[in-house]
Amino acid sequence: MNMEENIKYEEAFAELQALVHKMENDELDIDQMSEQLKRAQELIRLCKDKLTKTDGEIKKILAEK
């Protein structure tokens, strides 16, 4: 299993917010920007996957009641 899969949603979202803040405030040089954009994409994917999984679990639980 990928180590990134173990990151909590809150941690991934907080890191994503920090990256966006740095980008908005021009705190990254062009080399960092490319690397951080790739990281942001990973974090967005992780958050989306976790939300989708949680939504599916909630729907399953509700359907059983």
Side-chain angles (χ1 to χ4, degrees):
M1 178 182 278
N2 187 346
M3 288 294 270
E4 289 298 324
E5 299 296 327
N6 293 328
I7 190 171
K8 291 185 178 183
Y9 176 84
E10 293 81 8
E11 294 169 346
F13 190 73
E15 184 178 343
L16 186 56
Q17 285 180 308
L19 287 174
V20 169
H21 179 75
K22 287 180 182 180
M23 290 176 192
E24 289 176 341
N25 292 301
D26 297 322
E27 296 177 25
L28 303 172
D29 65 32
I30 196 72
D31 293 324
Q32 292 173 318
M33 182 70 76
S34 176
E35 183 180 316
Q36 295 303 310
L37 280 171
K38 289 177 187 174
R39 178 63 180 161
Q41 286 179 320
E42 291 174 16
L43 291 167
I44 290 168
R45 180 188 55 78
L46 284 168
C47 288
K48 184 178 176 183
D49 289 350
K50 286 181 183 291
L51 288 173
T52 300
K53 181 180 177 185
T54 301
D55 183 55
E57 290 171 356
I58 290 170
K59 286 179 180 175
K60 182 180 176 185
I61 290 168
L62 293 175
E64 292 173 356
K65 294 201 175 232

